[in-house]
Amino acid sequence: MSLTRREFVKWMAASTGVAAVAGCADMGTGSAGRVVVIGGGYGGATCARYIKIWAPDIDVTMVERNSTFVSCPISNLVLGGNTTMDSITMSYQGLKNRGVRVVQDEVVAVDIGARQVRLANGGTLPYDRLVVSPGIDFMLDRIPGLRSADAQMRVPHAWKAGEQTAVLRKQLEAMRDGGVYVFHVPLSPYRCPPGPYERVCQVADYFKRAKPRSKIIVLDSNPDIVSKKGLFLQSWNGVYKGMIDYRPNSELEDVDVRDMTVKLTFDSVKGDVLNVVPPQRAGDIAVKAGLITANQRWCGVDWRSLESTAVKGVHVLGDATVSAPGMPKSGSMANQHGKIAAAAIVALLAGRPVNRHPVIMNACYSFVDGKSAMHVTSVHKFDAAKNTMVAVKGAGSVSKMASVEEGNYAWGWARNIWGDALG
Ligand SMILES: Cc1cc2nc3c(=O)[nH]c(=O)nc-3n(C[C@H](O)[C@H](O)[C@H](O)COP(=O)(O)OP(=O)(O)OC[C@H]3O[C@@H](n4cnc5c(N)ncnc54)[C@H](O)[C@@H]3O)c2cc1C
């Protein structure tokens, strides 16, 4: 079957690629075993759900500190006033209905030798296979002015959707017309390469409607726009012309919360609303469990099973992994990691070999206003010679321009992946 680019994009919006995780053909009952999943985000929830679908006899417990799932994808639209917190907040009931034991708690330690995790409430959970999908934590030791909880509320990152998203939206609403929103972007790699530039579009869309004399200063640590540059510039130099002052190579030194100033190596920038996204690494529990293998930040994995290269029997998913070349830190990718790991765990617990040729795909949409979006897609396959995932040449695509049609696909993508992870 050959697909046109348009058909491929439609298919990506409608499907989350179960079939693409080749090697899951034998989705039989598997043998019983105990799996503990840390983190109920894009990676962890998907993995828990697919283990239960493919091998209902396996006992799956997912530990998540939050009571609900709040999606980062689409959260920038909340900042733009183009959707609500309710629309990105979902329950874990679907997973419970499938037989996943969902425990609302925090994993505070992993005892690798005893094969058990310890919870903040004092309890322990034993496992045969452990899945760690904790997302990111921030390297706040590099930004003394943002270390306190109070400082983080006054200068939010809103890079983990939830309370922070609501706080930043309120600050934007309270800002006077003619005010300045200062947004600092960390050096790549960080969670969601196009996310910062989508955020700029959303805030610009809101200002254009509600506070047309206001300005946006983007302080980017990177030398240039990291993702979909030409497409973002169509909006920045088009409908938002004159609103956005983009300053590359803006390395962050610190933040002065009292003075509402972002301090750069050679400059200081004052604003009415400051939004600083700190540099990131794998979530704290990955550090505590000894899973970090690269730059004291990320976790190395075997891409055929997502098993940690540092600790046997532990699978690491999503943003916490050392990204393979050309692979973004995205919800789409974390969802696909979840499926590879689920298939591998089902196989390993049944004494079968894991698939040696996994193929996965990524789709990232960005909204430039309340309705129009654009996409970038890619396909990644395991390359045995290179021992990593590589992007398949010619398999991906990128929009020519943002459109309302793609905005509809983007909402379709979101609803499908939420169903695929939580339903
Ligand atoms: C503004 C923004 C926009 C984005 N837009 C897109 C997009 O359009 N498309 C896309 O594909 N991606 C997008 N992303 C990226 C996407 O959100 C992440 O890549 C994705 O969430 C990664 O999944 P994960 O499972 O690694 O982490 P998460 O989804 O963050 O899940 C980690 C979970 O683990 C829990 N946890 C961590 N430690 C513990 C512990 N010790 N005990 C218990 N629970 C714990 C956390 O509470 C969290 O729920 C966006 C991100 C941002 C910030």
Side-chain angles (χ1 to χ4, degrees):
M1 178 177 72
S2 76
L3 292 176
T4 63
R5 176 174 296 186
R6 178 175 287 247
E7 285 166 335
F8 178 70
V9 171
K10 271 192 186 168
W11 179 73
M12 290 292 285
S15 144
T16 35
V18 176
V21 186
C24 303
D26 179 8
M27 293 163 196
T29 53
S31 67
R34 292 163 306 180
V35 177
V36 170
V37 178
I38 305 176
Y42 277 87
T46 305
C47 187
R49 180 169 180 267
Y50 273 85
I51 293 173
K52 265 297 173 195
I53 291 173
W54 288 337
D57 292 348
I58 295 178
D59 173 29
V60 182
T61 303
M62 188 183 86
V63 188
E64 166 57 51
R65 61 162 76 97
N66 297 321
S67 59
T68 52
F69 174 100
V70 187
S71 174
C72 282
I74 309 288
S75 69
N76 280 331
L77 273 74
V78 175
L79 302 178
N82 289 313
T83 194
T84 59
M85 285 301 292
D86 276 356
S87 76
I88 59 167
T89 305
M90 279 142 272
S91 100
Y92 287 111
Q93 192 56 45
L95 287 180
K96 292 179 190 167
N97 294 347
R98 283 197 182 272
V100 176
R101 189 176 155 223
V102 180
V103 174
Q104 192 193 342
D105 208 323
E106 168 115 13
V107 175
V108 291
V110 178
D111 185 339
I112 301 292
R115 289 193 167 231
Q116 62 181 25
V117 304
R118 202 171 74 240
L119 304 176
N121 77 6
T124 55
L125 293 170
Y127 64 82
D128 298 309
R129 293 249 150 210
L130 177 66
V131 176
V132 181
S133 191
I136 48 147
D137 272 309
F138 299 109
M139 298 161 80
L140 289 168
D141 50 320
R142 296 187 181 179
I143 316 174
L146 281 188
R147 270 188 212 146
S148 73
D150 179 54
Q152 287 164 40
M153 281 303 175
R154 289 175 71 181
V155 178
H157 48 76
W159 218 243
K160 289 185 184 184
E163 187 185 17
Q164 283 266 316
T165 317
V167 166
L168 181 54
R169 172 64 189 163
K170 276 204 185 112
Q171 291 183 358
L172 291 167
E173 283 178 304
M175 194 184 89
R176 68 190 163 92
D177 187 10
V180 178
Y181 163 68
V182 179
F183 179 37
H184 192 273
V185 182
L187 206 56
S188 181
Y190 57 81
R191 158 176 280 186
C192 192
Y197 314 106
E198 178 191 60
R199 177 166 295 181
V200 171
C201 292
Q202 286 300 314
V203 175
D205 180 55
Y206 171 60
F207 285 173
K208 203 163 182 272
R209 271 195 327 269
K211 310 174 191 239
R213 292 186 296 130
S214 306
K215 291 271 174 287
I216 298 172
I217 300 178
V218 186
L219 303 173
D220 196 338
S221 306
N222 297 286
D224 208 344
I225 294 171
V226 170
S227 174
K228 296 189 248 190
K229 177 183 170 185
L231 286 165
F232 283 115
L233 287 180
Q234 283 176 8
S235 302
W236 295 12
N237 296 330
V239 284
Y240 305 131
K241 195 169 174 59
M243 297 179 71
I244 301 159
D245 175 358
Y246 178 73
R247 304 183 190 174
N249 296 310
S250 295
E251 204 180 319
L252 185 71
E253 285 284 307
D254 205 355
V255 177
D256 187 335
V257 173
R258 269 208 217 139
D259 206 25
M260 289 300 276
T261 304
V262 176
K263 295 179 175 171
L264 306 174
T265 316
F266 299 111
D267 201 3
S268 284
V269 182
K270 228 172 152 50
D272 296 280
V273 172
L274 303 186
N275 176 195
V276 173
V277 180
Q280 297 147 33
R281 59 163 169 72
D284 287 342
I285 195 65
V287 180
K288 286 185 190 162
L291 298 166
I292 305 290
T293 59
N295 307 327
Q296 298 178 315
R297 290 175 79 179
W298 310 111
C299 308
V301 293
D302 178 335
W303 288 105
R304 291 163 295 193
S305 59
L306 275 298
E307 186 164 8
S308 161
T309 53
V311 182
K312 287 275 154 232
V314 179
H315 303 253
V316 187
L317 316 179
D319 290 353
T321 58
V322 183
S323 302
M327 183 184 279
K329 292 192 184 298
S330 70
S332 189
M333 242 26 302
N335 165 271
Q336 301 273 292
H337 294 174
K339 290 174 192 173
I340 296 182
I345 288 167
V346 169
L348 289 164
L349 288 176
R352 293 196 305 266
V354 303
N355 172 33
R356 291 165 56 187
H357 306 286
V359 182
I360 55 177
M361 63 196 181
N362 184 72
C364 274
Y365 286 93
S366 302
F367 277 89
V368 297
D369 55 33
K371 290 207 157 75
S372 302
M374 61 236 190
H375 77 272
V376 57
T377 58
S378 52
V379 177
H380 306 258
K381 68 171 184 183
F382 186 73
D383 183 317
K386 294 185 176 145
N387 195 27
T388 188
M389 287 278 187
V390 295
V392 178
K393 279 196 184 126
S397 70
V398 60
S399 307
K400 286 207 168 60
M401 58 189 292
S403 68
V404 173
E405 190 182 22
E406 289 219 41
N408 292 332
Y409 295 158
W411 272 107
W413 171 87
R415 292 190 183 108
N416 275 299
I417 201 166
W418 294 337
D420 198 47
L422 302 163

